[in-house]
Amino acid sequence: MQLSTAAVAANGAVEVSDGRAALRGGSAAWACHAGFPPSTIFPFTPPERVGIRNLYEFQALMYRPLYWLGRDGRPEVDPDLSLAEPPEWDVDGRTVTVTIKPWKWSNGETICADNVMFWVNMMVVKGARLGSYVPGFFPDNLTSYEKIAPDKVRFVFDRVYSKIWVVMNQLSLITPMPKAWDRTADDAPANASADLSDIPAVYDYLVSQNGQWTAEDNELRTRWPSSPVWSVVDGPWRLGTFSLDGTVTFVPNEHYSGPNTPYLDEFRQVPVASDEELFHQLRAGPHGSDPIQVGYLPYGLDAALTDGGVNPLAEHYRLVPQDVYCVRYMPFNFANTGVAGRIFRQAYFRQALQSCLDQEAAIRDIFHGYAHRTDGPVPVLGGAPASSPGPDIRWPFDIQRARDLLADNGWDVGTTPAVCLRPGDGPGCAGEGVEAGDRLSFSVRYVAGKAALTQLMRQLEVDAAKAGIELRLEAVYGSVMVAEDHTEGPGKGKWELNSWNGGWVFYGHPTGEMLFKTGAGSNWAGYSDPKADELIERTVLSDDPDALSQYHDYLAEQVPAVWTPGFPLRLLEIAKNLRGVEPINPYGMINPENWYYVENSVAGPR
């Protein structure tokens, strides 16, 4: 429960905001996305658990990355919040030295070069189990790395890369890990910061303390706050409680060394069953029973979103779009071992399905204007391109074009699902591996509880059927679906299409190595194209915007995934007396340590 204004004021008014004193103390509750409460605390997160809810909204509150991205709402490195000083480059353009600031872990130890080496060593040995690992890039693209002083690490890259990319996409991956984690059992310290042979056993121990990656049981998570491992933090927050229902409470880390120590006494993350449930809870306001101070206005609910930007919760909340660098898409499973996988490998089919998605209608009727088109892999922020302007609309909504693409490649579209009449890979045929009698019928798994996503999937289902493509929809609890479909194993080859609400938020320069390069940790769908790999590599070697444009144009044409409308990560509904949430971080990071309440009267608290 939020403290009363009088009780908060007793802790001391500390500064002035809009003519009203900023108050220390109180509690603020944040509504998690429906189906996606926090599930992973070990910040070496595998593909099946990688995502905003774990990395940026949970782990980063406690365990800071080497470089913090997003400064006063701008897409740049924040030197004040970073654990390291700005990198120092040698004249060769390949060698960079990183100096770690003398900040402290919560157990009193100084953050140091060994903590960085610990992380990099783990990437060297266990990189394939990291969702942000890309074969051929960090740390594979290092010729050497070494501790050269207690607070310094030197990296030598195999060639000259874009310096912006190295800092924002490579060094920012590093989350220094404390000596307290360097052990193979509770009572068995190791030396993984210096000895690669210790990494496998240390990794296995830390995973055991996290809990099985895909388990949804919160029983072990309730012990995270008191864990001798996870209680050692360097961020402004530490875990206070993790309840069986998934509610998380953070309290300030009293040993935090960085700037911006928390105003609040408590920050809570509250699981949400559905968008509808959250909307009803927000209508009760931020001061009732189990209130939400920072929620979101759900897309797709007629009672919630209205044309013209009217906020239906304006009595108690202000609406702030959480605009981030995000590309929205629905992946094809190229690793599917059945008929679907063979069909997905045909570019004409992907282009036909893309032509069945009416983005303009969705933007108008589902998102009520709070959205924009997505036509390729380079994201836009609030409708403006992140870097390259990108191409014209390559595959607009056009059912007849979709039918022509399929008919021209050997399908009978006079029935739904369409049937293959001309198999094989010759001219006018369906393509390698596609057989006579195969049908265009596919399962689509999508996150339950998201009203707008449900409407988008149903719209696509209806329009695709007009072109001869049958989509069989299945709503699945989000965290379960992602864990099942993105985990290596037999299940990886079974799903066909899925949507976890369709998006990837970029932490760094919007190059495509993490999503679409062959073998990348977050390339869950197994997309592989030599030309795409070549174009992606160009984007990391140079800051030339033409390289990003060429990559964008090619993948816009190839449709490695169904591009879906872009929209703010959330339409945040923020309690009127809670400040400091803005400006919005363009990479999806949150800083609740900056949040504070203001008194309700200019004259001051009574």
Side-chain angles (χ1 to χ4, degrees):
M1 294 293 292
Q2 177 190 332
L3 297 178
S4 69
T5 301
V8 174
N11 291 328
V14 293
E15 57 186 65
V16 173
S17 173
D18 298 338
R20 296 186 287 181
L23 308 173
R24 286 204 179 274
S27 174
W30 163 280
C32 299
H33 267 308
F36 289 106
S39 63
T40 301
I41 195 168
F42 181 19
F44 197 86
T45 308
E48 56 266 37
R49 287 301 192 191
V50 74
I52 285 180
R53 49 77 182 260
N54 284 320
L55 274 64
Y56 307 158
E57 297 173 355
F58 182 63
Q59 295 169 4
L61 304 185
M62 302 173 284
Y63 318 114
R64 292 303 214 198
L66 194 63
Y67 289 104
W68 186 272
L69 302 188
R71 184 183 188 189
D72 298 327
R74 300 189 300 272
E76 59 190 59
V77 174
D78 190 322
D80 297 328
L81 297 185
S82 297
L83 296 181
E85 301 291 351
E88 301 173 28
W89 289 90
D90 284 7
V91 293
D92 65 3
R94 299 192 301 117
T95 303
V96 62
T97 299
V98 170
T99 301
I100 295 89
K101 297 174 183 176
W103 292 1
K104 301 289 185 180
W105 293 100
S106 57
N107 63 0
E109 294 181 359
T110 301
I111 303 171
C112 62
D114 284 339
N115 304 151
V116 173
M117 293 293 289
F118 187 3
W119 171 272
V120 181
N121 283 347
M122 189 162 287
M123 280 200 75
V124 168
V125 177
K126 288 289 185 179
R129 291 301 298 139
L130 183 68
S132 53
Y133 170 71
V134 180
F137 292 159
F138 197 84
D140 303 346
N141 57 358
L142 298 174
T143 59
S144 67
Y145 64 98
E146 60 181 328
K147 169 186 171 182
I148 60 173
D151 63 344
K152 294 181 186 295
V153 177
R154 181 168 59 206
F155 301 95
V156 182
F157 287 87
D158 57 6
R159 53 181 159 170
V160 176
Y161 293 93
S162 158
K163 289 183 173 63
I164 293 174
W165 178 79
V166 166
V167 176
M168 300 187 79
N169 293 50
Q170 303 284 268
L171 299 181
S172 68
L173 297 175
I174 300 171
T175 300
M177 299 190 296
K179 185 176 180 60
W181 296 8
D182 193 355
R183 58 189 62 248
T184 58
D186 293 347
D187 57 352
N191 190 28
S193 63
D195 189 345
L196 290 174
S197 67
D198 280 357
I199 289 291
V202 170
Y203 175 83
D204 289 345
Y205 169 73
L206 294 174
V207 171
S208 74
Q209 299 304 295
N210 176 90
Q212 183 181 357
W213 291 124
T214 57
E216 293 297 332
D217 185 2
N218 285 329
E219 179 62 38
L220 179 60
R221 297 169 187 162
T222 65
R223 299 196 288 275
W224 286 350
S226 59
S227 163
V229 173
W230 310 126
S231 60
V232 180
V233 303
D234 61 356
W237 300 92
R238 62 179 175 83
L239 272 187
T241 61
F242 198 118
S243 66
L244 282 173
D245 71 358
T247 299
V248 175
T249 299
F250 291 94
V251 294
N253 168 20
E254 57 270 28
H255 302 292
Y256 176 56
S257 304
N260 306 349
T261 56
Y263 290 93
L264 298 171
D265 292 327
E266 179 183 85
F267 171 61
R268 293 189 303 125
Q269 296 187 342
V270 181
V272 175
S274 68
D275 286 351
E276 290 89 344
E277 176 186 282
L278 173 62
F279 183 63
H280 290 304
Q281 193 167 357
L282 290 173
R283 292 182 71 173
H287 307 297
S289 176
D290 296 323
I292 298 293
Q293 282 76 39
V294 183
Y296 59 87
L297 189 62
Y299 297 101
L301 293 184
D302 291 338
L305 277 174
T306 57
D307 297 325
V310 176
N311 180 9
L313 303 173
E315 180 181 359
H316 300 294
Y317 298 92
R318 66 184 184 279
L319 190 152
V320 178
Q322 189 184 11
D323 282 318
V324 298
Y325 284 124
C326 178
V327 59
R328 302 279 178 183
Y329 61 94
M330 182 172 71
F332 301 95
N333 186 8
F334 295 94
N336 180 274
T337 55
V339 174
R342 296 192 293 272
I343 294 174
F344 294 161
R345 286 187 275 277
Q346 315 305 321
Y348 73 82
F349 171 77
R350 305 193 302 269
Q351 294 159 350
L353 185 57
Q354 182 69 61
S355 300
C356 293
L357 180 58
D358 191 347
Q359 292 200 52
E360 301 300 337
I363 292 167
R364 181 186 66 244
D365 301 332
I366 299 175
F367 298 98
H368 293 272
Y370 291 92
H372 54 267
R373 288 193 62 92
T374 297
D375 290 293
V378 176
V380 300
L381 186 66
S387 178
S388 164
D392 294 332
I393 299 172
R394 186 65 189 87
W395 300 105
F397 176 62
D398 190 335
I399 295 295
Q400 187 56 52
R401 189 181 191 186
R403 291 175 62 86
D404 291 344
L405 278 166
L406 297 173
D408 290 346
N409 285 277
W411 295 90
D412 175 10
V413 295
T415 183
T416 300
V419 179
C420 177
L421 299 179
R422 296 191 300 276
D425 58 358
C429 295
E432 182 179 359
V434 182
E435 299 178 356
D438 284 348
R439 297 177 180 273
L440 297 181
S441 179
F442 309 97
S443 66
V444 181
R445 287 158 58 90
Y446 68 97
V447 173
K450 306 297 295 181
L453 180 61
T454 299
Q455 291 181 39
L456 185 68
M457 293 297 98
R458 290 175 178 169
Q459 171 189 304
L460 179 58
E461 175 190 29
V462 170
D463 288 334
K466 298 173 185 176
I469 303 171
E470 179 183 62
L471 301 178
R472 308 185 310 275
L473 304 184
E474 178 187 2
V476 185
Y477 186 75
S479 189
V480 171
M481 187 198 79
V482 170
E484 290 178 348
D485 291 1
H486 297 171
T487 301
E488 289 298 330
K492 187 76 174 284
K494 293 182 179 178
W495 65 274
E496 297 179 351
L497 293 114
N498 76 18
S499 178
W500 60 93
N501 205 27
W504 178 266
V505 174
F506 286 83
Y507 189 65
H509 201 48
T511 49
E513 69 277 3
M514 200 174 295
L515 295 182
F516 296 114
K517 192 173 189 297
T518 300
S522 293
N523 182 0
W524 304 290
Y527 178 71
S528 181
D529 182 319
K531 183 172 180 179
D533 290 345
E534 177 187 340
L535 293 172
I536 288 170
E537 188 161 315
R538 289 182 194 171
T539 68
V540 308
L541 295 174
S542 168
D543 293 327
D544 184 353
D546 285 344
L548 207 59
S549 290
Q550 291 168 14
Y551 152 70
H552 183 100
D553 291 356
Y554 181 71
L555 266 72
E557 170 71 22
Q558 289 296 304
V559 194
V562 179
W563 310 117
T564 58
F567 49 87
L569 188 60
R570 297 175 179 87
L571 296 176
L572 290 174
E573 292 284 5
I574 305 170
K576 285 188 171 181
N577 66 333
L578 182 65
R579 304 298 169 83
V581 182
E582 307 100 306
I584 298 300
N585 184 295
Y587 299 107
M589 312 295 278
I590 60 173
N591 296 89
E593 63 272 15
N594 295 341
W595 303 359
Y596 58 89
Y597 288 103
V598 294
E599 58 189 5
N600 292 321
S601 169
V602 175
R606 295 287 188 257

